Amino acid sequence: MGRDITLADICIVACADAFRGDGEIMASAMGTIPSIAARLALSCFEPDLLISDGEAYFIRNPGPVGVSQTDAIDFQPVVEGWIPYRKVFDMLWWGRRHVMMGASQIDKYGNQNISAIGPWEKPKAQLLGVRGAPGNTVNHKTSYWVPNHSTKSFVSRVDIVCGVGYDRASQAGPTAQKYHKLERVVSNKAVFDFQSPDRSMRLVSLHPGVTSDEVATLTGFEFICAEPLSYSRVPTEIELQAIDRYDPKGLRFTEVDDRQAIG
Amino acid sequence: MNKVIIEEEFISRLSDGMTIGIGGWGSRRKPMSLVRAICRSPVSNLTVVSYGGPDVGILCAMGKVARVIYGFVSLDSIALDPHFRFARQESTISATELDEGMLQWGLYAASLRLPFLPTRAGLGSDVMTINPWLRTIKSPYSDEEELVAMPAITLDMAIVHVNRADSSGNGQILGVDPYFDDLFLMAASQRYISCEELVDTEDFLKFGSHHTLAINRMMVDGVIVSKRGAHFTSCDSDYSRDEVFQAHYAQSAKTPESWQAFRDLFVLAESHQTYLEAVDSFGMASYGS
């Protein structure tokens, strides 16, 4: 073993595994850990993914997170395509994309809120706005990364539905459901999918050291558990090297600050 | 035709209650000198349409805005614009929040002179409930899909900042992303661009390839020369975002006094030149000389 494994590493490979099997599509990641995860997936097991620099280029060999991909001095980016926002919208309505977004609130059926907390007319907290979440979720695969698992983030009902969950897609009808697919939800405690009879959140794996009781206490709704329930996997040696390569400054700890060694 | 005008002339064309579309994206290539010109003008009660950044925050803080139509408001490196948040949380503005793609579709419909364009985006989300005037439409073909009919967002005025322009209104965007600036201009009845540099038409291709000629003169009524006109937002490839100044802008929302100081020194600077001088002295003080 080269170095200790931390919770952030577990979260990164759990996020990376969301992109497993995606093939030649655009992997869009919001946040630091998803950005490391998408790069890791590209370099370790999904070599056909397309990753943008967050400005307007597809980079074949994305470099470290948190630095401008085209201004970095210590690596040579290979620009393989042009992807300004207008083309991003085209790609996503075309369906060739898997986005991993954040969620200020998420509910049992995967409805997500990044717009505002409290009543719409006079919110207690205005957040980003719905951004692309409504369009993303009804057009292509979507996953979520929630770095602070608590009853404030995993709620019984979100205040503003931005990303569409399974119940709302079903109520909206076949056009909303046609390309709607929520892949997985990764938190700093566990991994969920929606492989349950009513497409509600199902606990798939616990991060090492976490119990299902703890997750239940931190979650504002009831969920079923996969059988058998497993622990989230640890990164391979090669994956650890990839994490260090893509995040040399340890920006992952700004999202998951637990630096204790695991296992 | 020579379309070059000065800011005062631009200001004279503003009127109360207008719907103004603002180009750029977040805190990137925003026509900030024109935004400040609006702030200096007596107009109020505006509807602002934007992929929002500090343009929206400043106009809200100056009390110029009745309604904002947006997909997000963000400063990029600082996730949320505190001035916009304040306006929302105090409910001083009416908010029309749309999916980013719906906003594009609304501008595109307006530019194509169509009443609406169909899309899946919005279905199932609260965009449909917080904007109850949005309608769906059933496909007339055998698929019978039920889609959102995103209505045209027609603009009274659009303002956009570009890297280079000529006096007849052709505009050149040298950054990697033209955003939706052409759609804003095509959706508007009055169209103004500010530019970093006014150049001779024959020199355009010295600065960039034909792909950078994103704005043609049919789309433009007036050109305002405004070097560093996007400050403090980015304007690649001429300059990047002034992060120190942007942080100062965000900080100014802390107290009424800090906002007043920021407003008087920067937002209400009597001209773009005065603004740049104030910015430069601020920069000297922050970075050391």
Side-chain angles (χ1 to χ4, degrees):
Chain A
M1 269 295 166
R3 67 160 172 86
D4 289 337
I5 292 171
T6 66
L7 179 60
D9 300 315
I10 303 289
C11 295
I12 290 165
V13 292
C15 289
D17 283 342
F19 297 106
R20 214 174 263 280
D22 278 351
E24 202 159 46
I25 63 166
M26 180 175 182
S28 291
M30 315 299 170
T32 300
I33 283 187
S35 297
I36 302 166
R39 286 160 164 76
L40 185 152
L42 171 77
S43 74
C44 297
F45 52 80
E46 280 299 322
D48 293 332
L49 290 175
L50 288 90
I51 292 182
S52 96
D53 64 350
E55 294 280 340
Y57 291 132
F58 278 131
I59 305 286
R60 192 70 187 92
N61 60 338
V65 294
V67 299
S68 163
Q69 298 294 293
T70 41
D71 295 344
I73 42 171
D74 44 359
F75 92 106
Q76 284 297 315
V78 176
V79 174
E80 65 168 330
W82 186 50
I83 188 80
Y85 282 108
R86 191 173 313 189
K87 279 178 171 258
V88 174
F89 295 175
D90 289 346
M91 296 304 114
L92 85 86
W93 289 8
W94 190 29
R96 307 273 171 130
R97 185 169 182 248
H98 181 170
V99 70
M100 179 169 274
M101 293 188 282
S104 302
Q105 296 177 321
I106 192 163
D107 73 15
K108 181 171 181 164
Y109 294 100
N111 296 293
Q112 166 243 29
N113 178 17
I114 50 172
S115 165
I117 303 294
W120 168 253
E121 291 303 331
K122 193 172 190 290
K124 205 157 64 180
Q126 171 70 33
L127 306 174
L128 285 169
V130 300
R131 295 220 66 150
N136 289 344
T137 43
V138 296
N139 278 294
H140 59 60
K141 214 189 260 189
T142 302
S143 292
Y144 292 105
W145 158 240
V146 186
N148 50 347
H149 197 138
S150 78
T151 48
K152 280 192 174 159
S153 50
F154 285 73
V155 296
S156 60
R157 201 187 150 91
V158 303
D159 294 336
I160 309 288
V161 175
C162 304
V164 178
Y166 277 101
D167 57 340
R168 291 286 293 253
S170 158
Q171 287 156 25
T175 304
Q177 291 176 289
K178 196 169 183 179
Y179 304 115
H180 178 262
K181 182 164 201 272
L182 305 183
E183 184 68 24
R184 61 165 56 188
V185 178
V186 179
S187 79
N188 58 331
K189 297 291 176 187
V191 178
F192 298 83
D193 66 13
F194 295 87
Q195 303 297 317
S196 59
D198 66 345
R199 311 315 297 274
S200 64
M201 236 185 255
R202 179 182 79 145
L203 179 62
V204 181
S205 73
L206 296 161
H207 298 342
V210 179
T211 65
S212 52
D213 283 350
E214 184 186 353
V215 173
T217 310
L218 294 172
T219 303
F221 52 83
E222 299 204 342
F223 52 85
I224 64 163
C225 297
E227 285 178 26
L229 187 60
S230 58
Y231 281 111
S232 309
R233 73 179 183 89
V234 297
T236 64
E237 189 59 32
I238 286 171
E239 288 173 333
L240 277 181
Q241 286 167 13
I243 292 169
D244 292 340
R245 191 166 71 248
Y246 292 128
D247 185 24
K249 292 181 188 154
L251 296 178
R252 58 193 177 278
F253 298 118
T254 61
E255 286 183 358
V256 174
D257 68 357
D258 185 348
R259 296 179 193 231
Q260 263 194 341
I262 281 173
Chain B
M1 188 170 127
N2 188 337
K3 295 176 184 165
V4 178
I5 58 170
I6 56 171
E7 273 190 0
E8 283 64 29
E9 197 168 340
F10 165 74
I11 289 173
S12 75
R13 298 186 193 179
L14 297 163
S15 55
D16 284 347
M18 271 185 148
T19 297
I20 302 186
I22 305 179
W25 174 280
S27 191
R28 306 177 196 188
R29 209 162 41 71
K30 285 288 179 180
M32 297 302 283
S33 63
L34 297 184
V35 166
R36 285 194 312 279
I38 295 171
C39 293
R40 288 201 304 277
S41 81
V43 296
S44 62
N45 219 19
L46 301 175
T47 292
V48 173
V49 182
S50 181
Y51 288 99
D55 51 334
V56 172
I58 287 177
L59 288 168
C60 286
M62 290 300 293
K64 295 294 189 190
V65 180
R67 180 184 180 198
V68 187
I69 302 176
Y70 62 101
F72 63 85
V73 177
S74 172
L75 303 177
D76 293 311
S77 50
I78 299 170
L80 308 171
D81 182 308
H83 298 283
F84 172 68
R85 296 190 83 188
F86 184 81
R88 277 285 285 134
Q89 290 161 197
E90 296 302 312
S91 198
T92 63
I93 53 157
S94 139
T96 299
E97 201 168 292
L98 298 168
D99 173 87
E100 294 165 0
M102 293 172 81
L103 186 52
Q104 179 202 10
W105 238 213
L107 295 168
Y108 194 33
S111 71
L112 301 181
R113 302 178 298 170
L114 293 170
F116 69 89
L117 280 170
T119 173
R120 244 179 216 92
L123 291 174
S125 78
D126 275 340
V127 164
M128 303 304 286
T129 50
I130 60 182
N131 303 300
W133 42 271
L134 285 169
R135 297 283 176 269
T136 59
I137 187 167
K138 188 177 251 179
S139 163
Y141 301 104
S142 59
D143 57 82
E144 295 194 332
E145 288 211 48
E146 184 90 18
L147 297 150
V148 175
M150 179 61 212
I153 303 173
T154 50
L155 307 172
D156 298 314
M157 181 186 278
I159 55 173
V160 156
H161 185 73
V162 299
N163 301 83
R164 306 284 177 270
D166 67 11
S167 60
S168 57
N170 293 301
Q172 183 173 34
I173 296 174
L174 298 173
V176 285
D177 198 330
Y179 309 120
F180 301 91
D181 290 1
D182 53 339
L183 297 187
F184 277 98
L185 294 169
M186 290 167 74
S189 2
Q190 289 192 62
R191 301 84 41 93
Y192 296 97
I193 61 173
S194 53
C195 66
E196 286 298 313
E197 226 177 285
L198 195 67
V199 299
D200 290 331
T201 312
E202 54 267 37
D203 286 342
F204 275 133
L205 295 180
K206 292 179 188 164
F207 297 104
S209 80
H210 55 277
H211 300 98
T212 61
L213 299 173
I215 310 295
N216 68 58
R217 58 191 164 87
M218 290 185 286
M219 305 178 185
V220 175
D221 299 304
V223 178
I224 299 98
V225 182
S226 183
K227 197 160 190 69
R228 294 165 72 195
H231 180 272
F232 47 93
T233 72
S234 62
C235 185
D236 32 297
S237 56
D238 286 316
Y239 46 88
S240 52
R241 187 180 303 125
D242 185 343
E243 297 287 0
V244 174
F245 191 90
Q246 171 159 291
H248 183 56
Y249 160 73
Q251 288 289 320
S252 75
K254 283 254 158 87
T255 64
E257 294 72 30
S258 57
W259 165 244
Q260 204 175 351
F262 185 91
R263 182 194 66 188
D264 293 349
L265 185 55
F266 299 113
V267 183
L268 293 178
E270 61 188 37
S271 68
H272 182 52
Q273 197 48 45
T274 320
Y275 169 80
L276 291 180
E277 284 160 17
V279 165
D280 288 340
S281 352
F282 169 83
M284 297 285 260
S286 316
Y287 293 107
S289 43

